[in-house]
Amino acid sequence: MQIKNLSINFSTSGQIIHAVQDVNLNLDHAKITAIVGESGSGKSVTARAIMGLLEKNAIITSGQILHDDDFQFNSDAQKTQTVDLLTLSNKQMQKIRGKSIAMVFQDSFAYADPTMKIGYQVAESVRAHNPRLPKYEVKELVIQWLEKVGIKNARTRYNDYPHQFSGGQLQRILIAAALINSPKVLICDEPTTALDVTTQKVILELLKELSSQTDTKILFITHDIAVVANIADYVFVMQNGRVIEESRSIYNPKEAYTQQLLQIALNKQKINTLQIQEQNSQILTATGISVQYGKKHAVKNVSLSLHENEVLGIVGESGSGKTTLIKVISGILYAQKGDVNYHGVSVAKMSKSQKARFRQNVQMIFQNPNHSLDPRMKIEDIILEGVVNYNVVEKNAQTQYVKELLQKVHLDEKLATRYPHELSGGQKQRVSIARALATQCEILLCDEPTSALDVQTEFQILNLLREIQQETNLSIIFITHDINLITQYAHNIIVMHNGQIAGYGNTHEIIENPTDEYIVQLLESVPKLQVHQ
Amino acid sequence: MEVLKFVIKSVLKMFLTLFLILTFTFFLLNTVPGDPLAARAEKMSESQHKVLEERYGLNKPVVERYFDTLGNVARGDFGVSVVNPESDVKETILFRAPASIRLGIQQMLLGIPLGMVLGILAAYFKGRLIDKFVRIFSVVIISVPLMIVAILLQRYIAGELGLFPVIGWPKGSETWFGGWKYTVLPTIVGSLGYISSYSRLLRNSVLDTISSEYIVSARARGLSEFKIIKDHVIRNSFIPIITGLPLTLAMGITGSFFVESIFNIPGLGKYYITAVQERDMPMILATTLLLAAIYVFFIMITDICYKLVDPRINPFATRNQRGAMR
């Protein structure tokens, strides 16, 4: 397959966006080809263009997508020939989709029909292209493939619904549905981004294994350069709708942008050797925290302590209880068992005025800045809301105070009068940080503050947090699913698994000498770049 | 076993609910000033009034009357109407219910499927002629009182063209089946509401479903548009409909007062309103209980329907499990 000079525009409310510009891609170089790029780089749009699944407001202004296969809609059937997919009608594309080119998407739960048995959904792929195949043969084929992708008890699970599977299992099933017709090309659009790292590793291995068994070529789309290094034999780098670089290896980039991406990824693998200074006192302790939802323990017997000027990382996969834990620490949720002490006072037993002080001193930064900033408030009002509430500065000093805070988070002071939707994701998250700092807090609770951001922006936000933490006396609890993210910054880390602590201690010690089996597995699963040169 | 347990539990709950409704209605009726005899008090002598009070038990304390009523209802005895002493409440209801039920069912059988089909077509051909027609039609139906539509139909279709009778309803052996010509116009008028509300509901629901990711995924598997609509869109679009459906059924069966009075149909709806106006307590109690029973029954059916369409929802789960799933 070859893509030549592809350009795609989107028209949204009168504006024209050049999503893909003059892109050339060739899948003949290798078995597994990757496109790496940030959100908005045009990588997904390119993939959808191949499938003929673009939104209605997309206009293909130029280009060709050449594809070789034996097409049956021509009179001289079964003969291999090259066609330009962009010239085909929707009816003709239906015969190619799922048969000759298949696709796997990001969020397996969203991309599986919740009301249809999974066996039927896989069988649909077969029946759409072989309508005459008898029903029992289709079923046998589906079961065979479900077993192939590692679904246990495939025959009984055939009749289960998507919600009865985990995200990783469901993604395997959708991979089976895509590969069941032995397509020439399989497009994987961030197939592991919504999954935990341990699951990601298994899915990547499955894809590699399946591609080596068949002659299916894989086009793998991702934002994660470490994943590319682990799976692809050839890589295209996209930025702002253009392919800026292509090569056999990700390790010797020519473009500055790619070099930067690689450097950030390599930096993430570094582990700090920070120690907490001994004179720093404990400001917050939690002892024996347990939270139950029904019969299920979300958090079970967790204790921790936070010192002055400490960065404490809490790492865990989805469902590990890390978000529940931070809710208890922030006083949003009361634990059924255990106690949180702030400067020696139990949060549960605080008086009204003590509680107000606690709320002022413990501030939170949330995952998605698009949801945590009121869209109808100006930036300065957002920052001042807490300031006014806790009476931090005099009324006539407020404007100056906002300016200082914006400077502190490296934002232009002119943004003060703008609304959130006029800012980029990174800028919004900076506003969230400024808002938290505005109350002159002592503890900052960060709940995955960078997971909605691009790699470069994530790097900048983390650096900003570190800078602020070193300048002031701030303590930070940083929650993340990405263990690599926190090893450069945190003094101590907690690894959580199934609501319990799998490891707690100095970052360097935990990473270098993991004592718990789960931590070993977690560290092994994280896709790594080789450090050489 | 799970299912049986659930059904038994639901039936017990249903009776408890009905008991509470009966109690509530009884005391509400008795706290409101005035009684059925008060309206006629001027025409009666003191002694006549006393005799009647005795006869209907109105001279007894409220609590005693409450227990009398409970006992009677449990035995299936709803007493006689206070306003029309010669008519037994149970018999009256049994006599009048069939017309209402038949009218309701016919309206729904015509209106709901037609509304759904129009809604699906409107969504699929969004912005095209059929979509515009459906949207304008539903606005017109909502804003024009049904009474006017009914009178227009009576005047032109029944009166001038003489295709159908202007008023009336099949009686006797034709109560449930037959006498169709009488039922055509009331059915059409009553179904308009269903057509407009269900076409709008389904249009929105289908539009939501079409834009979801699993439809993209189905396209990526090479399914034809027809198959996608048939196997994925319709089923998923029905989930929000099912929430409203049993209540619609209950409302439909419990009668449409306007249609019944315009076409002079001997149904319950008209009778119920008159009973309320005249404080005919036995009549109000019995009818309220009947309507409540129909509602509660259909709500029970909803839970079961949910399970059949959406496997994610398990009505047999405890509330805690259900909360965790959503």
Side-chain angles (χ1 to χ4, degrees):
Chain A
M1 178 185 282
Q2 240 184 324
I3 298 178
K4 284 185 178 168
N5 309 327
L6 183 69
S7 294
I8 301 168
N9 289 345
F10 279 101
S11 64
T12 41
S13 52
Q15 268 189 318
I16 287 181
I17 297 158
H18 304 284
V20 173
Q21 294 174 62
D22 204 20
V23 160
N24 288 292
L25 285 177
N26 195 336
L27 299 194
D28 297 332
H29 296 299
K31 212 69 205 271
I32 303 181
T33 307
I35 304 180
V36 64
E38 302 191 340
S39 56
S41 63
K43 56 193 196 306
S44 286
V45 177
T46 309
R48 296 229 168 172
I50 299 172
M51 293 295 283
L53 290 175
L54 287 170
E55 305 273 323
K56 276 188 182 144
N57 59 349
I59 309 144
I60 298 172
T61 49
S62 73
Q64 284 180 308
I65 301 176
L66 301 177
H67 179 61
D68 291 348
D69 204 353
D70 36 3
F71 297 105
Q72 291 170 357
F73 48 76
N74 249 335
S75 48
D76 38 56
Q78 303 297 340
K79 214 192 251 171
T80 302
Q81 52 175 337
T82 307
V83 278
D84 179 3
L85 296 180
L86 297 178
T87 61
L88 298 182
S89 71
N90 192 36
K91 267 253 145 63
Q92 288 170 320
M93 277 306 287
Q94 274 172 17
K95 295 198 170 155
I96 291 182
R97 286 199 285 258
K99 173 90 178 91
S100 174
I101 310 171
M103 189 161 177
V104 176
F105 300 87
Q106 177 173 345
D107 180 357
S108 53
F109 283 111
Y111 283 94
D113 185 339
T115 64
M116 191 185 253
K117 292 174 180 173
I118 58 101
Y120 293 9
Q121 297 195 41
V122 181
E124 269 185 348
S125 302
V126 185
R127 262 192 232 129
H129 302 288
N130 302 301
R132 280 193 209 97
L133 206 63
K135 269 195 176 175
Y136 65 90
E137 272 183 44
V138 174
K139 190 171 175 179
E140 287 309 311
L141 187 67
V142 170
I143 288 169
Q144 207 181 317
W145 267 93
L146 289 179
E147 277 165 358
K148 209 167 183 174
V149 296
I151 301 295
K152 284 175 197 138
N153 303 325
R155 194 166 294 273
T156 47
R157 303 225 70 183
Y158 185 92
N159 288 320
D160 281 350
Y161 290 94
H163 70 280
Q164 290 164 297
F165 293 87
S166 69
Q169 282 176 316
L170 198 56
Q171 194 62 288
R172 288 157 185 267
I173 292 166
L174 294 182
I175 289 172
L179 285 177
I180 199 162
N181 291 320
S182 312
K184 295 268 167 199
V185 178
L186 174 68
I187 303 170
C188 299
D189 190 359
E190 305 248 13
T192 57
T193 308
L195 303 174
D196 288 325
V197 273
T198 42
T199 322
Q200 164 168 291
K201 190 185 179 207
V202 184
I203 295 282
L204 291 180
E205 271 164 14
L206 176 74
L207 283 173
K208 266 201 258 187
E209 191 193 316
L210 291 173
S211 86
S212 68
Q213 288 168 3
T214 58
D215 53 355
T216 301
K217 285 197 166 129
I218 295 182
L219 176 61
F220 195 96
I221 294 166
T222 181
H223 66 280
D224 189 342
I225 208 160
V227 169
V228 173
N230 278 284
I231 193 167
D233 312 314
Y234 199 89
V235 59
F236 290 88
V237 183
M238 282 188 77
Q239 189 194 16
N240 299 330
R242 289 177 191 279
V243 171
I244 56 164
E245 186 163 356
E246 58 172 287
S247 77
R248 288 214 165 265
S249 157
I250 197 71
Y251 289 109
N252 300 308
K254 292 180 206 78
E255 293 292 317
Y257 172 76
T258 324
Q259 283 167 0
Q260 207 179 352
L261 284 185
L262 186 69
Q263 198 50 49
I264 292 170
L266 284 170
N267 276 344
K268 273 175 79 173
Q269 290 177 206
K270 284 184 190 156
I271 301 158
N272 75 67
T273 49
L274 296 168
Q275 298 280 352
I276 308 165
Q277 281 162 318
E278 284 198 3
Q279 72 269 23
N280 287 358
S281 57
Q282 285 187 359
I283 50 175
L284 185 129
T285 53
T287 38
I289 302 288
S290 290
V291 180
Q292 254 178 306
Y293 293 125
K295 278 183 188 157
K296 198 178 165 284
H297 276 278
V299 171
K300 200 173 175 185
N301 198 19
V302 170
S303 302
L304 59 88
S305 64
L306 182 70
H307 295 77
E308 214 179 300
N309 212 9
E310 175 186 345
V311 177
L312 173 65
I314 301 180
V315 182
E317 300 188 339
S318 55
S320 63
K322 53 190 196 305
T323 299
T324 308
L325 181 63
I326 208 166
K327 277 185 183 164
V328 172
I329 292 171
S330 64
I332 296 172
L333 187 78
Y334 285 111
Q336 280 115 338
K337 274 188 213 149
D339 199 11
V340 179
N341 276 285
Y342 174 64
H343 285 300
V345 185
S346 164
V347 173
K349 290 175 192 140
M350 278 180 176
S351 70
K352 235 184 175 174
S353 63
Q354 278 175 318
K355 189 147 250 181
R357 288 272 307 154
F358 174 72
R359 288 258 150 86
Q360 181 184 350
N361 286 336
V362 180
Q363 289 290 315
M364 240 176 130
I365 295 172
F366 298 93
Q367 178 168 357
N368 194 337
N370 297 326
H371 298 164
S372 61
L373 301 180
D374 188 333
R376 281 170 199 85
M377 281 170 83
K378 284 181 190 159
I379 300 304
E380 55 181 351
D381 296 327
I382 289 172
I383 292 173
L384 284 173
E385 205 175 20
V387 176
V388 173
N389 188 30
Y390 295 114
N391 212 0
V392 181
V393 294
E394 294 295 312
K395 194 148 197 199
N396 48 19
Q398 279 174 0
T399 324
Q400 186 57 36
Y401 189 61
V402 170
K403 272 187 194 170
E404 283 168 20
L405 282 165
L406 287 176
Q407 268 171 17
K408 212 173 198 171
V409 295
H410 306 305
L411 282 178
D412 192 336
E413 55 191 54
K414 281 180 205 140
L415 294 181
T417 52
R418 300 271 185 84
Y419 287 93
H421 72 264
E422 298 172 79
L423 272 59
S424 72
Q427 285 177 320
K428 279 184 231 176
Q429 205 56 303
R430 283 168 195 269
V431 171
S432 300
I433 295 171
R435 173 174 65 178
L437 295 177
T439 63
Q440 299 181 342
C441 61
E442 204 172 20
I443 301 175
L444 207 54
L445 304 176
C446 307
D447 188 0
E448 305 246 13
T450 60
S451 61
L453 305 174
D454 279 326
V455 184
Q456 280 180 310
T457 325
E458 174 176 70
F459 179 68
Q460 289 160 0
I461 294 285
L462 283 172
N463 279 346
L464 173 68
L465 280 172
R466 174 156 65 177
E467 190 185 306
I468 291 166
Q469 182 257 340
Q470 282 167 351
E471 278 171 12
T472 57
N473 237 5
L474 208 61
S475 305
I476 295 179
I477 295 183
F478 194 102
I479 288 194
T480 179
H481 65 278
D482 183 355
I483 194 163
N484 268 353
L485 201 64
I486 201 64
T487 49
Q488 338 159 41
Y489 299 103
H491 299 87
N492 291 323
I493 59 170
I494 296 177
V495 180
M496 290 194 69
H497 183 50
N498 291 337
Q500 285 170 303
I501 291 183
Y504 181 14
N506 183 275
T507 307
H508 197 260
E509 280 165 30
I510 292 275
I511 304 292
E512 293 299 315
N513 308 307
T515 46
D516 188 272
E517 209 176 295
Y518 172 71
I519 302 178
V520 177
Q521 195 195 342
L522 187 68
L523 290 170
E524 271 177 5
S525 304
V526 177
K528 281 186 197 64
L529 291 164
Q530 286 154 6
V531 188
H532 46 75
Q533 291 123 31
Chain B
M1 260 343 271
E2 282 288 292
V3 181
L4 192 69
K5 230 163 132 189
F6 172 76
V7 172
I8 292 171
K9 233 170 152 182
S10 305
V11 172
L12 288 179
K13 267 191 207 157
M14 191 170 108
F15 279 110
L16 180 70
T17 314
L18 290 180
F19 165 74
L20 290 176
I21 288 170
L22 174 71
T23 308
F24 221 71
T25 319
F26 180 88
F27 285 107
L28 262 182
L29 283 172
N30 279 289
T31 39
V32 180
D35 60 58
L37 297 179
R40 264 156 268 254
E42 287 164 18
K43 297 174 198 157
M44 285 182 282
S45 69
E46 197 93 333
S47 57
Q48 272 178 312
H49 200 232
K50 276 228 166 90
V51 172
L52 283 175
E53 266 193 347
E54 193 118 333
R55 188 167 153 206
Y56 293 109
L58 288 170
N59 53 349
K60 289 184 195 165
V62 177
V63 179
E64 201 184 324
R65 267 193 283 150
Y66 169 66
F67 284 108
D68 284 349
T69 312
L70 266 190
N72 290 340
V73 169
R75 267 181 274 118
D77 178 7
F78 291 91
V80 291
S81 163
V82 180
V83 181
N84 305 303
E86 62 279 2
S87 60
D88 181 81
V89 169
K90 203 163 106 185
E91 271 169 26
T92 312
I93 287 179
L94 287 178
F95 176 71
R96 288 183 168 261
S100 290
I101 293 174
R102 179 173 171 188
L103 177 63
I105 290 175
Q106 281 187 203
Q107 286 171 352
M108 287 185 290
L109 282 181
L110 177 69
I112 295 175
L114 198 62
M116 285 182 168
V117 171
L118 285 176
I120 293 171
L121 289 176
Y124 202 70
F125 297 103
K126 192 186 163 201
R128 307 264 278 278
L129 197 66
I130 173 115
D131 183 28
K132 281 176 190 151
F133 168 75
V134 167
R135 277 155 65 197
I136 292 169
F137 175 78
S138 58
V139 171
V140 169
I141 291 302
I142 287 169
S143 26
V144 178
L146 280 186
M147 193 119 78
I148 291 175
V149 182
I151 291 169
L152 287 175
L153 286 180
Q154 277 177 328
R155 163 100 206 252
Y156 292 102
I157 309 281
E160 297 202 350
L161 295 177
L163 293 176
F164 304 104
V166 178
I167 54 166
W169 195 256
K171 287 189 196 97
S173 61
E174 288 181 335
T175 305
W176 287 107
F177 209 78
W180 297 105
K181 61 179 182 192
Y182 288 102
T183 69
V184 173
L185 290 186
T187 304
I188 290 176
V189 173
S191 68
L192 290 175
Y194 296 114
I195 296 176
S196 82
S197 60
Y198 274 84
S199 62
R200 262 179 317 137
L201 207 63
L202 220 73
R203 178 181 179 270
N204 294 339
S205 181
V206 169
L207 284 178
D208 273 355
T209 314
I210 286 183
S211 60
S212 48
E213 279 104 348
Y214 53 81
I215 298 298
V216 177
S217 173
R219 284 208 178 102
R221 267 178 253 146
L223 265 63
S224 66
E225 290 298 314
F226 175 72
K227 271 225 153 119
I228 288 173
I229 297 282
K230 178 170 115 342
D231 295 342
H232 295 279
V233 175
I234 291 186
R235 191 186 176 104
N236 280 290
S237 310
F238 273 18
I239 292 169
I241 307 292
I242 287 177
T243 334
L245 195 61
L247 285 183
T248 314
L249 291 177
M251 270 192 305
I253 288 175
T254 52
S256 29
F257 173 60
F258 280 118
V259 178
E260 282 183 13
S261 56
I262 294 167
F263 291 96
N264 202 20
I265 297 165
L268 270 182
K270 195 180 160 191
Y271 204 68
Y272 187 39
I273 306 276
T274 324
V276 170
Q277 280 167 348
E278 299 188 342
R279 291 281 158 71
D280 195 343
M281 284 189 204
M283 193 65 212
I284 297 172
L285 261 187
T287 325
T288 309
L289 213 57
L290 177 72
L291 301 193
I294 293 173
Y295 268 81
V296 176
F297 176 73
F298 277 107
I299 286 169
M300 192 175 85
I301 301 290
T302 327
D303 274 356
I304 295 168
C305 285
Y306 254 135
K307 174 71 182 169
L308 293 178
V309 175
D310 193 340
R312 284 169 300 181
I313 296 163
N314 181 5
F316 310 128
T318 64
R319 190 177 304 152
N320 235 335
Q321 285 169 304
R322 216 186 284 192
M325 260 185 277
R326 276 177 198 161

